[in-house]
Amino acid sequence: MPLVMAGTGEENIIRKVGGNEETKRFLENLGFVSGAKVVILSAIGGNVIVNIKDSRVAINEDMARRIMI
């Protein structure tokens, strides 16, 4: 399921990152790689703030839909 459908505060494991090569590379540079643990801290209008690898990262709904958990 896409990251945008996860509940706030749940710890999830990233299974796959989709999209074109540029999008994948951008998300991987932020720490969104297969096997990484991710926790949604806040979700407003589809945009999410997540905790990944001890960092807080804000991503828009389009990017969050490409991350499968």
Side-chain angles (χ1 to χ4, degrees):
M1 90 178 157
L3 184 60
V4 292
M5 298 183 77
T8 304
E10 294 178 3
E11 184 174 283
N12 295 288
I13 306 282
I14 296 174
R15 303 290 177 210
K16 178 183 169 192
V17 178
N20 60 31
E21 286 303 314
E22 183 179 344
T23 303
K24 285 182 186 179
R25 197 173 318 115
F26 174 75
L27 290 170
E28 286 173 0
N29 287 337
L30 290 174
F32 294 93
V33 294
S34 294
K37 293 179 182 176
V38 61
V39 178
I40 293 184
L41 301 175
S42 172
I44 301 169
N47 301 325
V48 293
I49 299 174
V50 299
N51 192 1
I52 186 161
K53 296 190 176 181
D54 298 328
S55 298
R56 286 186 180 181
V57 179
I59 55 174
N60 65 22
E61 183 177 10
D62 185 48
M63 292 287 183
R65 288 194 183 280
R66 299 183 195 300
I67 301 167
M68 296 296 162
I69 55 174

